[in-house]
Amino acid sequence: MRAHSKWRRAALTFLAATAPVAMGAQTVAITGGTVYPVSGPKIDNGTVLIRDGRVVAVGANVQIPSDAQRVDARGKWVTPGFINSATTLGLSEAGSPQFSGGYNDVGARGEHGIAASFEAWRGINPANTYIGPSRAEGVTSVVVFGNGGMLSGKSALLDLVEARQVGEMVRKAPNAMLGTFANPGSGNTNSRGEFWARWRSLMNDVRAYQSRRAAYENGGTREFMARQQDMEALIPVLAGELPLVLEVDRSSDILEALAFAREFGIRLWLGGAAEGWMVAPEIAAARVPVFVGAMNNIPGDFSSLGSRQENAALLRQAGATVILIGNGPGDPNSFNVRNIRQEAGNAVAYGMSWEDALRAITLVPAEVMGVADRIGSIAAGRDANLVIWSGDPFEFSSVAERVWVQGKEATQPSRQQQLFERYRTLPGGPYRP
């Protein structure tokens, strides 16, 4: 009981120290900072005016209402909140359930490697302790997907608002379907040729099912290779309405994936693409967005022997649409979702322009996912997903000082902050780093 009381006091102390000046204010003016709207040139000594959760004005000469809460950002950088477009955030925590009592809701059992109907985001725990640190370090939106199998299900785009229910976090669901195109074992096959034939059979089955639904219900069709709910989930993919993200690394596999998408009229996104730079002109010509990281140049297998950290820069130079995701160490998809800014910084170190790197974790993913009218930039009418940084967000020494998601300043302490407060004062005196 005594330990519980100490924890509670520590949390309340932290809340008091970090609470906004006026919690109930509906109009906030962030003044004096260097504003990076992303959709336009940077604004020195700029002002961002927020009202009722949205940006209503941004510029160097914005008139500030007398009742606005002023936030002094002089000497600071102001950017849109970052979007991490490949995570399993909120789906697992604390290791394997059977050993540690944690939970893992990342994958579905499916059937024969196919779980197209799986909607992983529905299992997100809004109280997951990894969400707070991600938000506190400037990530305001994430894409959450499941994994495993040939088709691991649908993904969703969420805002990292402080929520009690997943529904409060969802911005767009589903926003894509995820599968792998380079792992024959995931489809219960032994070779790439057999695996890709299975992909084509599946799409032909979905097409046949769609055209003969009534006959299917009456048992008047041949047997299909997937369950009914999975074929239903794939109809929007075949219609070009729901993008299909294919994880693929080897350059020749990427070309095969492009051909497969053309054959069936599929709206393709490429995930991973370790050897994407080798076929960058073909990817750019196909206008297929590529989701790549910049922290890792160590091949994981023979399909990624051409891994290099210049991948993102070379793809951009070829004219491809690049979205940065995590591929570094330390579980960048869940535990370290916040490392997305380090991916961007590393991309710059390996040849990508700073402006392209910022766009690749803000406006470009928003455009690709069809939500650029709401997030990804700082402009009048956009939702106020904003971060005030102490300096260049791609520098290690910079920190996210204040974060707003949908116009609400994040105040909830993360588990890390709670632990820091709990152990700040120990017997023998305060901690001295």
PDB file of all heavy atoms in Angstrom, residues 114-117 151 177 201-210 212-213 216 221-238:
ATOM      1  N   ILE A 114      -3.531 -17.520 -45.085  1.00  0.00           N
ATOM      2  CA  ILE A 114      -4.359 -16.399 -45.562  1.00  0.00           C
ATOM      3  C   ILE A 114      -5.264 -15.906 -44.430  1.00  0.00           C
ATOM      4  O   ILE A 114      -6.086 -16.660 -43.915  1.00  0.00           O
ATOM      5  CB  ILE A 114      -5.212 -16.820 -46.773  1.00  0.00           C
ATOM      6  CG1 ILE A 114      -4.300 -17.262 -47.921  1.00  0.00           C
ATOM      7  CG2 ILE A 114      -6.121 -15.672 -47.223  1.00  0.00           C
ATOM      8  CD1 ILE A 114      -5.039 -17.897 -49.075  1.00  0.00           C
ATOM      9  N   ALA A 115      -5.084 -14.648 -44.056  1.00  0.00           N
ATOM     10  CA  ALA A 115      -5.911 -14.034 -43.012  1.00  0.00           C
ATOM     11  C   ALA A 115      -6.310 -12.628 -43.469  1.00  0.00           C
ATOM     12  O   ALA A 115      -6.178 -11.659 -42.718  1.00  0.00           O
ATOM     13  CB  ALA A 115      -5.155 -13.989 -41.695  1.00  0.00           C
ATOM     14  N   ALA A 116      -6.795 -12.520 -44.698  1.00  0.00           N
ATOM     15  CA  ALA A 116      -7.099 -11.213 -45.290  1.00  0.00           C
ATOM     16  C   ALA A 116      -8.166 -10.457 -44.507  1.00  0.00           C
ATOM     17  O   ALA A 116      -8.196  -9.225 -44.513  1.00  0.00           O
ATOM     18  CB  ALA A 116      -7.543 -11.389 -46.746  1.00  0.00           C
ATOM     19  N   SER A 117      -9.036 -11.160 -43.836  1.00  0.00           N
ATOM     20  CA  SER A 117     -10.126 -10.494 -43.120  1.00  0.00           C
ATOM     21  C   SER A 117      -9.704 -10.007 -41.734  1.00  0.00           C
ATOM     22  O   SER A 117     -10.473  -9.313 -41.060  1.00  0.00           O
ATOM     23  CB  SER A 117     -11.316 -11.448 -42.977  1.00  0.00           C
ATOM     24  OG  SER A 117     -10.915 -12.641 -42.318  1.00  0.00           O
ATOM     25  N   LEU A 151      -0.913 -13.555 -46.375  1.00  0.00           N
ATOM     26  CA  LEU A 151      -1.736 -12.357 -46.244  1.00  0.00           C
ATOM     27  C   LEU A 151      -2.061 -12.190 -44.768  1.00  0.00           C
ATOM     28  O   LEU A 151      -2.752 -13.029 -44.178  1.00  0.00           O
ATOM     29  CB  LEU A 151      -3.027 -12.502 -47.049  1.00  0.00           C
ATOM     30  CG  LEU A 151      -2.985 -11.996 -48.490  1.00  0.00           C
ATOM     31  CD1 LEU A 151      -4.153 -12.559 -49.283  1.00  0.00           C
ATOM     32  CD2 LEU A 151      -3.008 -10.470 -48.528  1.00  0.00           C
ATOM     33  N   MET A 177      -4.109  -3.469 -47.324  1.00  0.00           N
ATOM     34  CA  MET A 177      -4.023  -4.905 -47.052  1.00  0.00           C
ATOM     35  C   MET A 177      -2.543  -5.282 -47.093  1.00  0.00           C
ATOM     36  O   MET A 177      -1.807  -4.804 -47.967  1.00  0.00           O
ATOM     37  CB  MET A 177      -4.785  -5.683 -48.127  1.00  0.00           C
ATOM     38  CG  MET A 177      -4.702  -7.196 -48.006  1.00  0.00           C
ATOM     39  SD  MET A 177      -5.730  -7.857 -46.695  1.00  0.00           S
ATOM     40  CE  MET A 177      -7.365  -7.504 -47.343  1.00  0.00           C
ATOM     41  N   SER A 201      -3.729 -17.695 -58.351  1.00  0.00           N
ATOM     42  CA  SER A 201      -4.926 -18.530 -58.157  1.00  0.00           C
ATOM     43  C   SER A 201      -5.876 -17.871 -57.168  1.00  0.00           C
ATOM     44  O   SER A 201      -7.108 -17.886 -57.356  1.00  0.00           O
ATOM     45  CB  SER A 201      -4.515 -19.918 -57.647  1.00  0.00           C
ATOM     46  OG  SER A 201      -3.768 -20.605 -58.613  1.00  0.00           O
ATOM     47  N   LEU A 202      -5.302 -17.292 -56.124  1.00  0.00           N
ATOM     48  CA  LEU A 202      -6.138 -16.624 -55.118  1.00  0.00           C
ATOM     49  C   LEU A 202      -6.912 -15.464 -55.738  1.00  0.00           C
ATOM     50  O   LEU A 202      -8.120 -15.315 -55.527  1.00  0.00           O
ATOM     51  CB  LEU A 202      -5.259 -16.132 -53.963  1.00  0.00           C
ATOM     52  CG  LEU A 202      -5.976 -15.315 -52.883  1.00  0.00           C
ATOM     53  CD1 LEU A 202      -7.075 -16.137 -52.215  1.00  0.00           C
ATOM     54  CD2 LEU A 202      -4.967 -14.812 -51.836  1.00  0.00           C
ATOM     55  N   MET A 203      -6.223 -14.650 -56.530  1.00  0.00           N
ATOM     56  CA  MET A 203      -6.911 -13.506 -57.144  1.00  0.00           C
ATOM     57  C   MET A 203      -7.972 -13.970 -58.142  1.00  0.00           C
ATOM     58  O   MET A 203      -9.057 -13.381 -58.229  1.00  0.00           O
ATOM     59  CB  MET A 203      -5.880 -12.599 -57.824  1.00  0.00           C
ATOM     60  CG  MET A 203      -4.978 -11.866 -56.846  1.00  0.00           C
ATOM     61  SD  MET A 203      -5.924 -10.833 -55.689  1.00  0.00           S
ATOM     62  CE  MET A 203      -4.839 -10.841 -54.263  1.00  0.00           C
ATOM     63  N   ASN A 204      -7.679 -15.024 -58.867  1.00  0.00           N
ATOM     64  CA  ASN A 204      -8.696 -15.552 -59.789  1.00  0.00           C
ATOM     65  C   ASN A 204      -9.884 -16.122 -59.031  1.00  0.00           C
ATOM     66  O   ASN A 204     -11.042 -16.007 -59.466  1.00  0.00           O
ATOM     67  CB  ASN A 204      -8.063 -16.620 -60.690  1.00  0.00           C
ATOM     68  CG  ASN A 204      -7.169 -16.007 -61.758  1.00  0.00           C
ATOM     69  OD1 ASN A 204      -7.454 -14.922 -62.281  1.00  0.00           O
ATOM     70  ND2 ASN A 204      -6.074 -16.690 -62.097  1.00  0.00           N
ATOM     71  N   ASP A 205      -9.620 -16.734 -57.883  1.00  0.00           N
ATOM     72  CA  ASP A 205     -10.717 -17.244 -57.050  1.00  0.00           C
ATOM     73  C   ASP A 205     -11.602 -16.102 -56.549  1.00  0.00           C
ATOM     74  O   ASP A 205     -12.836 -16.200 -56.544  1.00  0.00           O
ATOM     75  CB  ASP A 205     -10.153 -18.004 -55.849  1.00  0.00           C
ATOM     76  CG  ASP A 205      -9.854 -19.456 -56.171  1.00  0.00           C
ATOM     77  OD1 ASP A 205      -9.979 -19.841 -57.356  1.00  0.00           O
ATOM     78  OD2 ASP A 205      -9.489 -20.217 -55.240  1.00  0.00           O
ATOM     79  N   VAL A 206     -10.965 -15.015 -56.111  1.00  0.00           N
ATOM     80  CA  VAL A 206     -11.738 -13.864 -55.606  1.00  0.00           C
ATOM     81  C   VAL A 206     -12.605 -13.298 -56.726  1.00  0.00           C
ATOM     82  O   VAL A 206     -13.781 -12.974 -56.522  1.00  0.00           O
ATOM     83  CB  VAL A 206     -10.788 -12.790 -55.043  1.00  0.00           C
ATOM     84  CG1 VAL A 206     -11.568 -11.525 -54.679  1.00  0.00           C
ATOM     85  CG2 VAL A 206     -10.035 -13.319 -53.831  1.00  0.00           C
ATOM     86  N   ARG A 207     -12.030 -13.230 -57.911  1.00  0.00           N
ATOM     87  CA  ARG A 207     -12.784 -12.720 -59.065  1.00  0.00           C
ATOM     88  C   ARG A 207     -13.976 -13.632 -59.365  1.00  0.00           C
ATOM     89  O   ARG A 207     -15.104 -13.148 -59.595  1.00  0.00           O
ATOM     90  CB  ARG A 207     -11.850 -12.642 -60.271  1.00  0.00           C
ATOM     91  CG  ARG A 207     -12.398 -11.919 -61.451  1.00  0.00           C
ATOM     92  CD  ARG A 207     -11.314 -11.749 -62.503  1.00  0.00           C
ATOM     93  NE  ARG A 207     -10.382 -10.671 -62.182  1.00  0.00           N
ATOM     94  CZ  ARG A 207      -9.203 -10.516 -62.759  1.00  0.00           C
ATOM     95  NH1 ARG A 207      -8.772 -11.378 -63.665  1.00  0.00           N
ATOM     96  NH2 ARG A 207      -8.448  -9.487 -62.440  1.00  0.00           N
ATOM     97  N   ALA A 208     -13.766 -14.935 -59.327  1.00  0.00           N
ATOM     98  CA  ALA A 208     -14.852 -15.892 -59.592  1.00  0.00           C
ATOM     99  C   ALA A 208     -15.904 -15.827 -58.492  1.00  0.00           C
ATOM    100  O   ALA A 208     -17.118 -15.857 -58.763  1.00  0.00           O
ATOM    101  CB  ALA A 208     -14.282 -17.309 -59.707  1.00  0.00           C
ATOM    102  N   TYR A 209     -15.433 -15.718 -57.255  1.00  0.00           N
ATOM    103  CA  TYR A 209     -16.378 -15.645 -56.131  1.00  0.00           C
ATOM    104  C   TYR A 209     -17.260 -14.400 -56.243  1.00  0.00           C
ATOM    105  O   TYR A 209     -18.489 -14.464 -56.054  1.00  0.00           O
ATOM    106  CB  TYR A 209     -15.601 -15.626 -54.812  1.00  0.00           C
ATOM    107  CG  TYR A 209     -16.420 -15.181 -53.639  1.00  0.00           C
ATOM    108  CD1 TYR A 209     -17.330 -16.044 -53.031  1.00  0.00           C
ATOM    109  CD2 TYR A 209     -16.319 -13.872 -53.144  1.00  0.00           C
ATOM    110  CE1 TYR A 209     -18.102 -15.627 -51.946  1.00  0.00           C
ATOM    111  CE2 TYR A 209     -17.079 -13.447 -52.082  1.00  0.00           C
ATOM    112  CZ  TYR A 209     -17.970 -14.332 -51.484  1.00  0.00           C
ATOM    113  OH  TYR A 209     -18.743 -13.911 -50.435  1.00  0.00           O
ATOM    114  N   GLN A 210     -16.624 -13.276 -56.588  1.00  0.00           N
ATOM    115  CA  GLN A 210     -17.370 -12.020 -56.679  1.00  0.00           C
ATOM    116  C   GLN A 210     -18.459 -12.095 -57.737  1.00  0.00           C
ATOM    117  O   GLN A 210     -19.569 -11.576 -57.559  1.00  0.00           O
ATOM    118  CB  GLN A 210     -16.401 -10.876 -56.994  1.00  0.00           C
ATOM    119  CG  GLN A 210     -17.055  -9.499 -56.999  1.00  0.00           C
ATOM    120  CD  GLN A 210     -16.074  -8.397 -57.332  1.00  0.00           C
ATOM    121  OE1 GLN A 210     -14.947  -8.655 -57.767  1.00  0.00           O
ATOM    122  NE2 GLN A 210     -16.475  -7.159 -57.117  1.00  0.00           N
ATOM    123  N   ARG A 212     -19.957 -14.799 -58.757  1.00  0.00           N
ATOM    124  CA  ARG A 212     -20.922 -15.889 -58.559  1.00  0.00           C
ATOM    125  C   ARG A 212     -21.256 -16.057 -57.073  1.00  0.00           C
ATOM    126  O   ARG A 212     -21.330 -17.177 -56.560  1.00  0.00           O
ATOM    127  CB  ARG A 212     -20.344 -17.191 -59.124  1.00  0.00           C
ATOM    128  CG  ARG A 212     -19.965 -17.107 -60.609  1.00  0.00           C
ATOM    129  CD  ARG A 212     -19.694 -18.489 -61.180  1.00  0.00           C
ATOM    130  NE  ARG A 212     -20.885 -19.314 -61.128  1.00  0.00           N
ATOM    131  CZ  ARG A 212     -20.878 -20.647 -61.200  1.00  0.00           C
ATOM    132  NH1 ARG A 212     -19.719 -21.287 -61.327  1.00  0.00           N
ATOM    133  NH2 ARG A 212     -22.009 -21.346 -61.135  1.00  0.00           N
ATOM    134  N   ARG A 213     -21.477 -14.950 -56.395  1.00  0.00           N
ATOM    135  CA  ARG A 213     -21.759 -15.004 -54.956  1.00  0.00           C
ATOM    136  C   ARG A 213     -22.974 -15.885 -54.649  1.00  0.00           C
ATOM    137  O   ARG A 213     -22.953 -16.728 -53.736  1.00  0.00           O
ATOM    138  CB  ARG A 213     -22.020 -13.592 -54.439  1.00  0.00           C
ATOM    139  CG  ARG A 213     -20.826 -12.923 -53.793  1.00  0.00           C
ATOM    140  CD  ARG A 213     -21.333 -11.753 -52.966  1.00  0.00           C
ATOM    141  NE  ARG A 213     -20.267 -10.990 -52.376  1.00  0.00           N
ATOM    142  CZ  ARG A 213     -19.928  -9.774 -52.768  1.00  0.00           C
ATOM    143  NH1 ARG A 213     -20.540  -9.221 -53.785  1.00  0.00           N
ATOM    144  NH2 ARG A 213     -18.988  -9.106 -52.142  1.00  0.00           N
ATOM    145  N   TYR A 216     -22.283 -19.441 -54.968  1.00  0.00           N
ATOM    146  CA  TYR A 216     -21.417 -19.881 -53.865  1.00  0.00           C
ATOM    147  C   TYR A 216     -22.258 -20.190 -52.626  1.00  0.00           C
ATOM    148  O   TYR A 216     -22.076 -21.218 -51.955  1.00  0.00           O
ATOM    149  CB  TYR A 216     -20.382 -18.803 -53.551  1.00  0.00           C
ATOM    150  CG  TYR A 216     -19.458 -19.145 -52.394  1.00  0.00           C
ATOM    151  CD1 TYR A 216     -18.274 -19.837 -52.615  1.00  0.00           C
ATOM    152  CD2 TYR A 216     -19.792 -18.784 -51.081  1.00  0.00           C
ATOM    153  CE1 TYR A 216     -17.429 -20.156 -51.553  1.00  0.00           C
ATOM    154  CE2 TYR A 216     -18.963 -19.101 -50.022  1.00  0.00           C
ATOM    155  CZ  TYR A 216     -17.774 -19.781 -50.263  1.00  0.00           C
ATOM    156  OH  TYR A 216     -16.953 -20.112 -49.204  1.00  0.00           O
ATOM    157  N   THR A 221     -20.633 -23.665 -56.715  1.00  0.00           N
ATOM    158  CA  THR A 221     -19.333 -23.327 -57.317  1.00  0.00           C
ATOM    159  C   THR A 221     -18.307 -24.379 -56.925  1.00  0.00           C
ATOM    160  O   THR A 221     -18.547 -25.198 -56.029  1.00  0.00           O
ATOM    161  CB  THR A 221     -18.830 -21.957 -56.825  1.00  0.00           C
ATOM    162  OG1 THR A 221     -18.573 -22.046 -55.413  1.00  0.00           O
ATOM    163  CG2 THR A 221     -19.839 -20.863 -57.100  1.00  0.00           C
ATOM    164  N   ARG A 222     -17.174 -24.332 -57.625  1.00  0.00           N
ATOM    165  CA  ARG A 222     -16.075 -25.195 -57.235  1.00  0.00           C
ATOM    166  C   ARG A 222     -15.529 -24.724 -55.885  1.00  0.00           C
ATOM    167  O   ARG A 222     -15.865 -23.618 -55.422  1.00  0.00           O
ATOM    168  CB  ARG A 222     -14.971 -25.154 -58.281  1.00  0.00           C
ATOM    169  CG  ARG A 222     -14.357 -23.782 -58.496  1.00  0.00           C
ATOM    170  CD  ARG A 222     -13.237 -23.811 -59.514  1.00  0.00           C
ATOM    171  NE  ARG A 222     -12.798 -22.471 -59.862  1.00  0.00           N
ATOM    172  CZ  ARG A 222     -11.961 -21.746 -59.143  1.00  0.00           C
ATOM    173  NH1 ARG A 222     -11.483 -22.232 -58.007  1.00  0.00           N
ATOM    174  NH2 ARG A 222     -11.607 -20.537 -59.538  1.00  0.00           N
ATOM    175  N   GLU A 223     -14.685 -25.495 -55.303  1.00  0.00           N
ATOM    176  CA  GLU A 223     -14.097 -25.109 -54.026  1.00  0.00           C
ATOM    177  C   GLU A 223     -13.017 -24.054 -54.254  1.00  0.00           C
ATOM    178  O   GLU A 223     -12.203 -24.175 -55.163  1.00  0.00           O
ATOM    179  CB  GLU A 223     -13.481 -26.331 -53.344  1.00  0.00           C
ATOM    180  CG  GLU A 223     -13.006 -26.068 -51.931  1.00  0.00           C
ATOM    181  CD  GLU A 223     -12.530 -27.338 -51.236  1.00  0.00           C
ATOM    182  OE1 GLU A 223     -12.814 -28.438 -51.767  1.00  0.00           O
ATOM    183  OE2 GLU A 223     -11.872 -27.221 -50.191  1.00  0.00           O
ATOM    184  N   PHE A 224     -13.030 -23.009 -53.432  1.00  0.00           N
ATOM    185  CA  PHE A 224     -12.024 -21.950 -53.526  1.00  0.00           C
ATOM    186  C   PHE A 224     -10.962 -22.154 -52.457  1.00  0.00           C
ATOM    187  O   PHE A 224     -11.188 -22.816 -51.435  1.00  0.00           O
ATOM    188  CB  PHE A 224     -12.668 -20.574 -53.372  1.00  0.00           C
ATOM    189  CG  PHE A 224     -13.639 -20.234 -54.474  1.00  0.00           C
ATOM    190  CD1 PHE A 224     -14.928 -19.805 -54.186  1.00  0.00           C
ATOM    191  CD2 PHE A 224     -13.254 -20.353 -55.816  1.00  0.00           C
ATOM    192  CE1 PHE A 224     -15.822 -19.482 -55.208  1.00  0.00           C
ATOM    193  CE2 PHE A 224     -14.151 -20.039 -56.843  1.00  0.00           C
ATOM    194  CZ  PHE A 224     -15.433 -19.613 -56.538  1.00  0.00           C
ATOM    195  N   MET A 225      -9.795 -21.543 -52.695  1.00  0.00           N
ATOM    196  CA  MET A 225      -8.660 -21.793 -51.808  1.00  0.00           C
ATOM    197  C   MET A 225      -8.691 -20.978 -50.519  1.00  0.00           C
ATOM    198  O   MET A 225      -7.925 -21.249 -49.597  1.00  0.00           O
ATOM    199  CB  MET A 225      -7.338 -21.500 -52.550  1.00  0.00           C
ATOM    200  CG  MET A 225      -7.188 -20.081 -53.011  1.00  0.00           C
ATOM    201  SD  MET A 225      -5.678 -19.858 -54.020  1.00  0.00           S
ATOM    202  CE  MET A 225      -4.433 -20.017 -52.763  1.00  0.00           C
ATOM    203  N   ALA A 226      -9.564 -19.983 -50.416  1.00  0.00           N
ATOM    204  CA  ALA A 226      -9.624 -19.152 -49.211  1.00  0.00           C
ATOM    205  C   ALA A 226     -11.017 -19.184 -48.610  1.00  0.00           C
ATOM    206  O   ALA A 226     -11.998 -19.506 -49.284  1.00  0.00           O
ATOM    207  CB  ALA A 226      -9.228 -17.716 -49.549  1.00  0.00           C
ATOM    208  N   ARG A 227     -11.100 -18.819 -47.354  1.00  0.00           N
ATOM    209  CA  ARG A 227     -12.382 -18.744 -46.677  1.00  0.00           C
ATOM    210  C   ARG A 227     -13.212 -17.590 -47.262  1.00  0.00           C
ATOM    211  O   ARG A 227     -12.657 -16.632 -47.816  1.00  0.00           O
ATOM    212  CB  ARG A 227     -12.183 -18.506 -45.175  1.00  0.00           C
ATOM    213  CG  ARG A 227     -11.383 -19.583 -44.470  1.00  0.00           C
ATOM    214  CD  ARG A 227     -11.124 -19.190 -43.027  1.00  0.00           C
ATOM    215  NE  ARG A 227     -10.355 -17.951 -42.931  1.00  0.00           N
ATOM    216  CZ  ARG A 227      -9.984 -17.388 -41.789  1.00  0.00           C
ATOM    217  NH1 ARG A 227     -10.326 -17.958 -40.633  1.00  0.00           N
ATOM    218  NH2 ARG A 227      -9.285 -16.270 -41.776  1.00  0.00           N
ATOM    219  N   GLN A 228     -14.523 -17.702 -47.075  1.00  0.00           N
ATOM    220  CA  GLN A 228     -15.408 -16.674 -47.641  1.00  0.00           C
ATOM    221  C   GLN A 228     -15.065 -15.282 -47.104  1.00  0.00           C
ATOM    222  O   GLN A 228     -15.005 -14.309 -47.871  1.00  0.00           O
ATOM    223  CB  GLN A 228     -16.875 -17.004 -47.334  1.00  0.00           C
ATOM    224  CG  GLN A 228     -17.845 -16.012 -47.953  1.00  0.00           C
ATOM    225  CD  GLN A 228     -19.301 -16.381 -47.695  1.00  0.00           C
ATOM    226  OE1 GLN A 228     -19.596 -17.189 -46.823  1.00  0.00           O
ATOM    227  NE2 GLN A 228     -20.201 -15.806 -48.464  1.00  0.00           N
ATOM    228  N   GLN A 229     -14.824 -15.176 -45.793  1.00  0.00           N
ATOM    229  CA  GLN A 229     -14.554 -13.845 -45.241  1.00  0.00           C
ATOM    230  C   GLN A 229     -13.259 -13.250 -45.791  1.00  0.00           C
ATOM    231  O   GLN A 229     -13.136 -12.030 -45.930  1.00  0.00           O
ATOM    232  CB  GLN A 229     -14.515 -13.875 -43.705  1.00  0.00           C
ATOM    233  CG  GLN A 229     -13.404 -14.708 -43.088  1.00  0.00           C
ATOM    234  CD  GLN A 229     -13.851 -16.109 -42.728  1.00  0.00           C
ATOM    235  OE1 GLN A 229     -14.640 -16.724 -43.461  1.00  0.00           O
ATOM    236  NE2 GLN A 229     -13.385 -16.617 -41.595  1.00  0.00           N
ATOM    237  N   ASP A 230     -12.305 -14.107 -46.137  1.00  0.00           N
ATOM    238  CA  ASP A 230     -11.053 -13.595 -46.701  1.00  0.00           C
ATOM    239  C   ASP A 230     -11.242 -13.162 -48.159  1.00  0.00           C
ATOM    240  O   ASP A 230     -10.651 -12.165 -48.594  1.00  0.00           O
ATOM    241  CB  ASP A 230      -9.959 -14.655 -46.597  1.00  0.00           C
ATOM    242  CG  ASP A 230      -9.551 -14.909 -45.153  1.00  0.00           C
ATOM    243  OD1 ASP A 230      -9.535 -13.947 -44.364  1.00  0.00           O
ATOM    244  OD2 ASP A 230      -9.284 -16.076 -44.804  1.00  0.00           O
ATOM    245  N   MET A 231     -12.054 -13.884 -48.910  1.00  0.00           N
ATOM    246  CA  MET A 231     -12.326 -13.460 -50.282  1.00  0.00           C
ATOM    247  C   MET A 231     -13.111 -12.151 -50.292  1.00  0.00           C
ATOM    248  O   MET A 231     -12.860 -11.267 -51.125  1.00  0.00           O
ATOM    249  CB  MET A 231     -13.057 -14.560 -51.045  1.00  0.00           C
ATOM    250  CG  MET A 231     -12.177 -15.779 -51.321  1.00  0.00           C
ATOM    251  SD  MET A 231     -12.889 -16.946 -52.487  1.00  0.00           S
ATOM    252  CE  MET A 231     -14.245 -17.601 -51.512  1.00  0.00           C
ATOM    253  N   GLU A 232     -14.064 -12.018 -49.365  1.00  0.00           N
ATOM    254  CA  GLU A 232     -14.801 -10.748 -49.249  1.00  0.00           C
ATOM    255  C   GLU A 232     -13.827  -9.598 -48.978  1.00  0.00           C
ATOM    256  O   GLU A 232     -13.947  -8.510 -49.557  1.00  0.00           O
ATOM    257  CB  GLU A 232     -15.826 -10.838 -48.117  1.00  0.00           C
ATOM    258  CG  GLU A 232     -17.048 -11.681 -48.436  1.00  0.00           C
ATOM    259  CD  GLU A 232     -18.048 -10.948 -49.330  1.00  0.00           C
ATOM    260  OE1 GLU A 232     -17.865  -9.736 -49.546  1.00  0.00           O
ATOM    261  OE2 GLU A 232     -18.988 -11.597 -49.831  1.00  0.00           O
ATOM    262  N   ALA A 233     -12.856  -9.835 -48.096  1.00  0.00           N
ATOM    263  CA  ALA A 233     -11.895  -8.784 -47.739  1.00  0.00           C
ATOM    264  C   ALA A 233     -11.006  -8.405 -48.917  1.00  0.00           C
ATOM    265  O   ALA A 233     -10.500  -7.274 -48.977  1.00  0.00           O
ATOM    266  CB  ALA A 233     -11.043  -9.252 -46.563  1.00  0.00           C
ATOM    267  N   LEU A 234     -10.809  -9.335 -49.861  1.00  0.00           N
ATOM    268  CA  LEU A 234      -9.912  -9.068 -50.991  1.00  0.00           C
ATOM    269  C   LEU A 234     -10.620  -8.426 -52.186  1.00  0.00           C
ATOM    270  O   LEU A 234      -9.956  -7.955 -53.117  1.00  0.00           O
ATOM    271  CB  LEU A 234      -9.238 -10.372 -51.430  1.00  0.00           C
ATOM    272  CG  LEU A 234      -8.135 -10.865 -50.486  1.00  0.00           C
ATOM    273  CD1 LEU A 234      -7.755 -12.304 -50.806  1.00  0.00           C
ATOM    274  CD2 LEU A 234      -6.904  -9.964 -50.570  1.00  0.00           C
ATOM    275  N   ILE A 235     -11.922  -8.373 -52.173  1.00  0.00           N
ATOM    276  CA  ILE A 235     -12.644  -7.755 -53.299  1.00  0.00           C
ATOM    277  C   ILE A 235     -12.232  -6.291 -53.495  1.00  0.00           C
ATOM    278  O   ILE A 235     -11.952  -5.863 -54.627  1.00  0.00           O
ATOM    279  CB  ILE A 235     -14.176  -7.901 -53.101  1.00  0.00           C
ATOM    280  CG1 ILE A 235     -14.578  -9.370 -53.323  1.00  0.00           C
ATOM    281  CG2 ILE A 235     -14.938  -6.983 -54.059  1.00  0.00           C
ATOM    282  CD1 ILE A 235     -16.037  -9.668 -53.009  1.00  0.00           C
ATOM    283  N   PRO A 236     -12.150  -5.476 -52.426  1.00  0.00           N
ATOM    284  CA  PRO A 236     -11.698  -4.085 -52.633  1.00  0.00           C
ATOM    285  C   PRO A 236     -10.265  -3.994 -53.160  1.00  0.00           C
ATOM    286  O   PRO A 236      -9.922  -3.015 -53.837  1.00  0.00           O
ATOM    287  CB  PRO A 236     -11.797  -3.470 -51.226  1.00  0.00           C
ATOM    288  CG  PRO A 236     -12.778  -4.332 -50.492  1.00  0.00           C
ATOM    289  CD  PRO A 236     -12.568  -5.716 -51.032  1.00  0.00           C
ATOM    290  N   VAL A 237      -9.434  -4.989 -52.880  1.00  0.00           N
ATOM    291  CA  VAL A 237      -8.070  -4.992 -53.414  1.00  0.00           C
ATOM    292  C   VAL A 237      -8.101  -5.187 -54.923  1.00  0.00           C
ATOM    293  O   VAL A 237      -7.444  -4.475 -55.686  1.00  0.00           O
ATOM    294  CB  VAL A 237      -7.228  -6.097 -52.734  1.00  0.00           C
ATOM    295  CG1 VAL A 237      -5.847  -6.196 -53.394  1.00  0.00           C
ATOM    296  CG2 VAL A 237      -7.075  -5.813 -51.239  1.00  0.00           C
ATOM    297  N   LEU A 238      -8.895  -6.138 -55.372  1.00  0.00           N
ATOM    298  CA  LEU A 238      -9.005  -6.386 -56.813  1.00  0.00           C
ATOM    299  C   LEU A 238      -9.665  -5.219 -57.543  1.00  0.00           C
ATOM    300  O   LEU A 238      -9.388  -4.974 -58.722  1.00  0.00           O
ATOM    301  CB  LEU A 238      -9.820  -7.659 -57.053  1.00  0.00           C
ATOM    302  CG  LEU A 238      -9.030  -8.952 -57.282  1.00  0.00           C
ATOM    303  CD1 LEU A 238      -9.970 -10.104 -57.593  1.00  0.00           C
ATOM    304  CD2 LEU A 238      -8.008  -8.788 -58.406  1.00  0.00           C
TER     305      LEU A 238
END
